[in-house]
Each structure stands twice: as C-alpha cells, then as structure tokens.
Amino acid sequence: MASEAPVLPLLTPHKLGNFNLSHRVVLAPLTRQRSYNYVPQPHAILHYSQRTTKGGLLISEATCISPTAIGYADVPGIWTKEQIEAWKPIVDAVHAKGGIFFCQIWHTGRVSNSGLQPNGQAPISCTDKGLTPQIQSDSIDVEQYTPPRRLSADEIPQIINEFRLAARNAVEAGFDGVEIHGAHGYLLDQFMKDQVNDRTDEYGGTLENRCRFPLEVVKAVADEIGAERVGVRLSPFADYNECGDSNPKELGLYMINSLNKYGILYCHMVEPRMKTQWGKVECPHSLVPMRKAFNGTFIVAGGYEREDGNNAVAENRADLVAFGRWFLANPDLPKRFELGASLNKYRRETFYTSDPVIGYNDYPLLEDSS
C-alpha cells in the first residue's frame, strides 16, 4: 500500500483558547472600503462566507471604533446600532459554516484628514506632527493628511472607553472576540513608537510611558469582554505611515511581556520583512524572541506563502499564519494549499475600489473550474 502524503503543518489542528481550529491558515484583516457610509453591506456576507472553513479563524477588516477613528472612505464602523445590526448577518454566515470570527477594532489617529472627521476637525494623535502626502497603492493618487491635534492626557480615557464599547458592540454583533489594532502606524502605534511620540507627560518619553495608553486599552477591553476573547496586532519593526521606532526589538518584547499580564488569547505580529518586485527580502531581525516570550497563541503575518508558512509552523516560530493578498484572491486558500493547487493572481488595482463584486466576490473557487 502506498503511504499517505504527510499532513501539511499549516493544516494541522490548533487549540485557540476555547476554540478548536481545524487548521492554522488565518484570514488576515484586510481593508476593502466597501462599507458605504461606514455601514457593513450585504455583499460582505458572501465575501466572508466564501473564505470560511469549519474550524477556520477569520479576522475582519479594520473596523472604526468612533467617528474620529475614520481615516479612509467606506470602511466599516461598530459604534452605532445600525452598524451592529449590519454586522450580524455577516457574522451569522461565517458561523453557519463553522468559522471563528474576530472583529479588528481600529483608530487611525493622524492617518486621516479633516474631510473625514466630525465637523471637519483635525484628526487626533499623540502628537501634532503631520504625515507627509503619500502616493496610494495605484501609484497615481496622492493621499493628503491634515496635521493632527495632540490629545491631552485627560482626553485619553474617552478613547479607551470607545475601544471598550466597540468590543462590547462586536460581541453583541455576534463576533467571537476582537483584535485590537496596534500596528501599521495607526493611533496605538503612534503612541508606542518614538519616531512619532514626542510627548513629555506620562504618555511619552520612556518605553513604559509610550506603551501606557495601548496597554490601558487592552486592559479595558479584556475587562469588558474577557481576556479569552482578545487578540492584539503589533508591528514593532514596521515604519509604515512614518511610524518607526529606534529599538523595535525592545518595544516588541516589552509589549509581549506586558500583554502576558492580562492573559489575552493571542498576539498577531507582522514579520520584519518586505516584498519587492524581485521577490522576498528578509530583514536581519526576528520575531522568535517574542514568540518564545508570549504565553498565548502567536500569529505571524507578512507576505507568507504556502512553503514558508508551513516552515514557520514546523519550526515552531508561529502557531498560526495569517494570509492577506493570497486569501483575498483565493477564497478557498486552505483547500488549495492541501491540494497543492495553483493560486489565482490578486488584482491590486481592485483592492480599494467600491465595487461590491469586482475584485471582491468574483475570484473563482476551485470547484468553479472543475
């Protein structure tokens, strides 16, 4: 008898707290800008359910916690009753197929402009330093940013409360938990990184002070919905949105050790590497020390493909691997990995359009071509 093919490390089960995952392929949070007027739409039901497998973990697109959190057009929110109700059928569709669904909760901070803010006001941040204009992913349009307004220390509890309420609302909408977005140069990352945070009060200066606000958010959310329902996404090595740090390894380890005190479910970290047109470029840094230090489930993301995702799990560098662009273009990505099937190419020019079908719900499944 021929021996059976070995099971891919990515397709082995994992115990995620109270959840039993059937595989380790995670849908990464992906901003798609198809939630008109900041309300999730019915076309998201198909989008997420297409990418659901029994026992698979999905993380929603970044979801704004309040009107001041908005940094892009047509992203979803979760601060109103209408938004909560709009999320419910989307979450139900994922659960109907046996998926586990977390909502990523988000505040963009200074990565915004006054045209997106209530009453045309300036965005808020840890600083009043503005972002320089940036060319968008289509290589044509330029994103303009309004210089932010520095939050006073006595305003910070209000933002913490907005994160707490967003987490409560996510659970009301049916989500299994939340992922706090502390990465990619958005508000919490702006406080953590010394390239941006120029404060001299208790929320600036030392590493402990810079991490104070993000950790207060984690505590408030964990107290509200239970630490077993909470994940955090971090990108200590990234300088996305002009938000870098002079000692990213120290920052990452400090945050990991601090998160351990709250007993949260998982930490989702972005690899210190980048993708170029010539292929993958590895950075000299590593998440391994942080993986070893963290007590919960450790998720990695950052340009992974089938082979290096398998290696990350096999070498115990990660428990789970999040896939973005490849999951976007291949709704049945775990099945394609299992079969060694070819992958659909993603269409970058459709990532952030508002069309409810093109580049959103029109990528073919394997069964479509059988």
Side-chain angles (χ1 to χ4, degrees):
M1 273 178 65
S3 59
E4 291 187 10
V7 177
L8 296 176
L10 278 172
L11 301 181
T12 57
H14 175 73
K15 180 78 170 165
L16 176 68
N18 296 325
F19 307 105
N20 295 308
L21 303 187
S22 60
H23 59 79
R24 298 165 187 258
V25 179
V26 178
L27 175 65
L30 297 166
T31 292
R32 305 308 311 278
Q33 292 185 255
R34 287 158 167 92
S35 296
Y36 313 138
N37 197 29
Y38 314 115
V39 178
Q41 297 294 307
H43 46 250
I45 296 172
L46 178 60
H47 180 74
Y48 283 107
S49 63
Q50 277 185 328
R51 289 158 181 78
T52 303
T53 52
K54 183 175 174 58
L57 174 63
L58 295 81
I59 305 169
S60 82
E61 60 209 278
T63 301
C64 295
I65 62 168
S66 69
T68 69
I70 299 166
Y72 305 91
D74 293 333
V75 291
I78 198 157
W79 71 86
T80 70
K81 188 69 176 173
E82 181 187 12
Q83 291 163 340
I84 296 168
E85 293 303 314
W87 272 117
K88 285 180 178 179
I90 304 168
V91 177
D92 288 347
V94 170
H95 285 159
K97 292 181 71 174
I100 294 98
F101 203 7
F102 272 55
C103 181
Q104 189 188 65
I105 54 177
W106 184 41
H107 197 302
T108 61
R110 69 174 186 163
V111 188
S112 186
N113 66 68
S114 57
L116 294 168
Q117 292 292 309
N119 305 313
Q121 65 195 36
I124 57 176
S125 182
C126 61
T127 181
D128 54 13
K129 290 187 298 186
L131 269 171
T132 56
Q134 295 181 15
I135 297 176
Q136 292 186 329
S137 60
D138 61 9
S139 302
I140 300 170
D141 297 317
V142 176
E143 188 78 56
Q144 301 283 352
Y145 303 103
T146 305
R149 178 179 69 81
R150 185 191 304 265
L151 280 167
S152 65
D154 60 6
E155 290 177 289
I156 287 175
Q158 177 185 340
I159 311 300
I160 295 169
N161 193 51
E162 288 172 354
F163 272 100
R164 181 184 67 80
L165 292 174
R168 178 199 288 180
N169 291 345
V171 171
E172 184 182 339
F175 284 102
D176 298 293
V178 301
E179 176 177 287
I180 298 166
H181 197 339
H184 292 156
Y186 298 116
L187 183 64
L188 300 185
D189 205 27
Q190 289 159 30
F191 271 81
M192 283 185 264
K193 301 279 184 69
D194 60 15
Q195 181 180 331
V196 179
N197 189 332
D198 56 359
R199 303 174 72 94
T200 57
D201 62 5
E202 67 268 35
Y203 291 100
T206 66
L207 181 59
E208 180 182 4
N209 281 356
R210 285 184 279 119
C211 294
R212 187 184 307 278
F213 170 46
L215 291 170
E216 287 175 342
V217 168
V218 172
K219 182 181 187 303
V221 169
D223 285 349
E224 179 67 31
I225 65 170
E228 73 282 0
R229 291 175 177 258
V230 178
V232 176
R233 194 178 212 207
L234 301 171
S235 59
F237 293 98
D239 59 4
Y240 192 65
N241 287 317
E242 298 174 11
C243 193
D245 193 79
S246 60
N247 194 336
K249 183 176 179 180
E250 183 185 25
L251 170 61
L253 282 170
Y254 179 84
M255 282 298 294
I256 287 291
N257 287 315
S258 300
L259 292 174
N260 281 337
K261 298 172 186 173
Y262 299 110
I264 64 168
L265 181 63
Y266 72 76
C267 183
H268 182 181
M269 276 206 164
V270 180
E271 282 279 3
R273 56 178 170 177
M274 61 182 181
K275 208 84 174 266
T276 71
Q277 65 193 73
W278 301 283
K280 199 167 289 178
V281 177
E282 298 289 347
C283 290
H285 310 293
S286 171
L287 297 181
V288 170
M290 292 154 218
R291 192 276 191 275
K292 290 181 176 176
F294 188 59
N295 292 338
T297 289
F298 197 76
I299 307 175
V300 294
Y304 276 95
E305 297 178 0
R306 182 178 185 263
E307 182 180 2
D308 52 1
N310 277 317
N311 291 341
V313 174
E315 295 165 11
N316 201 29
R317 289 184 281 114
D319 295 304
L320 310 174
V321 181
F323 294 85
R325 291 165 293 189
W326 292 118
F327 220 148
L328 179 157
N330 297 273
D332 49 2
L333 189 65
K335 175 59 73 174
R336 288 176 188 260
F337 282 171
E338 178 186 349
L339 299 176
S342 61
L343 300 182
N344 300 322
K345 298 283 192 295
Y346 51 82
R347 305 192 297 276
R348 185 179 295 278
E349 70 276 9
T350 66
F351 282 3
Y352 306 113
T353 65
S354 59
D355 195 285
V357 177
I358 296 171
Y360 192 65
N361 287 335
D362 62 346
Y363 284 105
L365 301 159
L366 281 172
E367 63 195 42
D368 295 337
S369 56
S370 60

